[in-house]
Amino acid sequence: MNHIIKKSALYITVILLFTACKKITDINTNPTAASAEQVQVEYFIDNSIVHAQMNPGVSERAFILYWAAAGHQVSDADGATFSWGSYSDEWIGEYYDNQSGALNTINSAIDVAKQQITAGTQKEYTNNLMQVARIWRTYLLSEMSDNFGSMPTSAFQGKNPEFKDVKSVYYYMLDELKDATSKLDLSIAAVPSDVSKEDPAYSFDFAKWQAYGNSLRLRLAMRLSEVDPSKAQAEFEDAAKGPLLTDKSQMFQIKEKPGWDDLSGMYTRCWFQAPEAVTFNNLVVNLGGVTTQSQIPSVISDPAGQADAIANIKPADYAGQYFPVQLTTKTNNPFSAYWLNGLPNTIDPRAYQIFYMPGNSSDPSFPSGTCGAVNSNTVGNVKDVNNNVIKTIDGKYTWNPTPDGNWGTKGDWHNTLFQGVDIGSATSMAPSLKNQFRTQTAERVFFGPWETYFLLAEGAVRGWTSPVDARTAYETGIAKSFEYWGTSSYLATYLASTDYNRDGTSVSWNHTTEPGNTHMMNFVDGLTGTPGTVSINYPVNNLYKNGTVKNDHLTKIITQKFIAQTPWLPLETWSDHRRLGLPFFENVVLEGPIQTLPALTGSNYMTSNVQFFPQRMKYPSGLQNSNVAGYNQAVSELGGADEVLTPLWWAQH
C-alpha cells in the first residue's frame, strides 16, 4: 500500500505503466530510461479508468457484497452481511489497494502532462488530457472518501500525504472540478485515432468530459445539502450554469468483456444469485399504474407462458399468503410475513427489465449457465419445526424479494425458498438480475442523464437556481430512465399515476396527498387457504421528517432516482440514504441478535435509526501497518471511531 504513501519517481511510474497497462511497448526504449517526453499521458488515463472498473476478485467484494447490500438494490443473502454491518478486512483491503492503484496511475498522468508542458514538448491536446485526468481523479477520490471518509488530497507530491477531513476533501474536489472543466479547450475538437482509443468512456470527446465534470460537481455539491447548505447551493448553482450530462449519448459507461480482468462484468460471478432486494420491491410494486398484463408480451416470449403469467396476476389489494410462523415478523417491512403467490397487478415497468420473472426460464433473459446459482426449479416445500413438509409451493410467475438479516431458528427450518437464505434447489423463486447483466457484454454505468435531472429537480425543490424547474426536471429524469430501459411507451400512464407504492409514495408530481397510516388488503392463510382482510401499515421512516411524510416532492425525487440507479449505482443509493434517510430502508430481519448492530433490538426494530445501517467501510489494516501516523491522522479527522457505524461528515445524523 506504499504506493499511496509517496510519490513515485518517474522511472517507477514507467515500470508501473509497463506492467499494468503494457502500452509502453509502443516505445522502443528501455523503460527505465524513458523520459516524460516519451511517455504518453493517454496511456495512464486509460489504465486508471480500466483499473478502477475492478477485476472480479475486487468487484464481487466491494461492488456486490458491500455497495449493493448497503444500497439495498440487490440482496446480499447469497452470503455477505454488510447490510448487518459485518466487515471483512481482507476484502476491503483488496478494494483499497485496487483503487489506490488507479489513483496512483491518474496522478502519474497529471505529473507527466505537467512535465511535458513545462518542457515545451506537449501536444496540442496535452492540456486537455491533464484536465480530463483531474476530473477522473476527482471521481476516484470521491469514491474512496464516500466509502472510508478522510482521504489525502495532496498525495504523490514527494512526501507522506496528510489525510484530510471529509469536509476538506469535498471542498478540494469541488474546486478541482470547477477549475478542470473551465480549462478544457473545446476548440480542440478531436484527437488522433490512436489517442482516442485510450479513453474507454468518451474517446477523448472533451465536450462530453466537460459535461460529465459539471454533472459530477452537481452530485458532490448535493452531498453537502444537509450539513453545509450554503456551500452546496453555491457550488450547485455555479455548476448548473455550464453544459451538463443530459443525454444518453453522453453517458459515462464502460463496456464489459468476458474474462478475468479489470473489464470483466460486475455481476457476472456465477455463484451469486443477485436477487431483488426488499427496498427496491417496496418502491416499485403498485407504483405507476402500469399493469403487469400490459407488460407480459415484453418479458415472456412464448404464448403459453404469457397465458400462464396473466392467469397468475393478483388484484391490486391482495397482500399474499400469510405465513407468520414460517416467515419473519421481526422487521419493519410491512409485508415481511406475506408471500405473493402470483404477480403484482401493477408494477414499475423497469422492474421486469432488471429482474427476471420466476419460472420464465425459456426467455433469453433467464440467467442460465450461472454455476447452479440459478436454475429452472420453482417448486419448494413449507416445513414445520420438525422439518416435516406441510405444503408444497410452486413459485412460477410469483414475485417476492429476498430479505437480509439474522433468521435465527427460522433460518434452520422454515422453507427458505421464500427468502433466498440457504435456498437449496429452489433458486429461481426470487426475481434476480437478468442475463444481460451476467454475460459480460453490458456497459457499466458510472453516470446517467437521469441523475443530472434528479439532481436539478432536488436543487429546484430546495429553492436553488436551476436551469430547469423542479417538475420538468423530475419528469425528464424519469423519461431518461425509461428511455434507457426501453419502456417509454408506458411513460404517459406512469407520470399521471396517483397510485401509492408499498411505501406510500406516488409518481404524479402534483399528487402530494399523504396515504394515511394504513390501507386495507385481502390475504389468505398460507396453510389453510382461509381468506381474510388485514390493515397493512405504511412503513414509518423516522429518518425523514420524523416519519410524518411519505409523498412529498423530495421523497418522489429520491424514489425515482433510486429506481433509475439500479443496478449500476448502488454506491449512490447508499449515499442518498446516508444523506437524507430516503428512500425508506427496512431494517434487517432480527430473529436472532446481530452483534454488529448492537443498537437494533427486539424493542425498537419497528423504528428507523442511522445506527441500524452501515455508514462507511473501515480502513484496512494494511494502511495502519504501513503508515501508522497516516492512519491515526485519518481516524482523528473522521470525527469518530474507525467503525462501520460511524457516520461520515455529510451523512444524516
Side-chain angles (χ1 to χ4, degrees), residues 215 218 222 236 244-248 250 447-461 466-481 483 509 557 560-561:
S215 284
L218 289 183
M222 192 59 74
F236 175 95
L244 299 170
L245 194 166
T246 57
D247 185 76
K248 65 179 182 179
Q250 301 170 298
F447 208 111
W450 53 82
E451 183 177 349
T452 296
Y453 282 106
F454 291 133
L455 288 166
L456 293 175
E458 181 176 350
V461 164
S466 171
V468 186
D469 68 88
R471 176 177 179 172
T472 300
Y474 168 78
E475 293 185 345
T476 305
I478 296 173
K480 293 295 181 179
S481 178
E483 179 185 21
W509 181 258
I557 292 167
Q560 291 298 328
K561 188 179 178 186

Side-chain angles (χ1 to χ4, degrees), residues 196-243:
S196 65
K197 69 181 182 181
E198 305 304 335
D199 175 5
Y202 290 138
S203 299
F204 291 121
D205 183 326
F206 300 124
K208 290 181 179 179
W209 271 104
Q210 186 180 68
Y212 167 65
N214 287 329
S215 284
L216 181 59
R217 190 174 167 207
L218 289 183
R219 175 194 284 179
L220 300 187
M222 192 59 74
R223 201 83 89 221
L224 310 187
S225 63
E226 306 308 297
V227 294
D228 199 350
S230 60
K231 176 69 170 178
Q233 180 177 357
E235 293 287 344
F236 175 95
E237 292 180 344
D238 190 61
K241 295 175 183 176

Side-chain angles (χ1 to χ4, degrees), residues 150-194:
S150 311
M151 278 287 138
T153 60
S154 58
F156 317 100
Q157 302 299 316
K159 61 181 181 180
N160 284 340
E162 292 186 2
F163 278 77
K164 302 292 186 179
D165 63 274
V166 175
K167 179 179 180 179
S168 297
V169 172
Y170 261 80
Y171 274 44
Y172 169 80
M173 293 190 297
L174 290 166
D175 286 345
E176 277 288 282
L177 289 174
K178 179 178 182 178
D179 191 62
T181 54
S182 70
K183 289 179 177 176
L184 282 168
D185 183 357
L186 300 190
S187 68
I188 302 174
V191 298
S193 59
D194 62 331

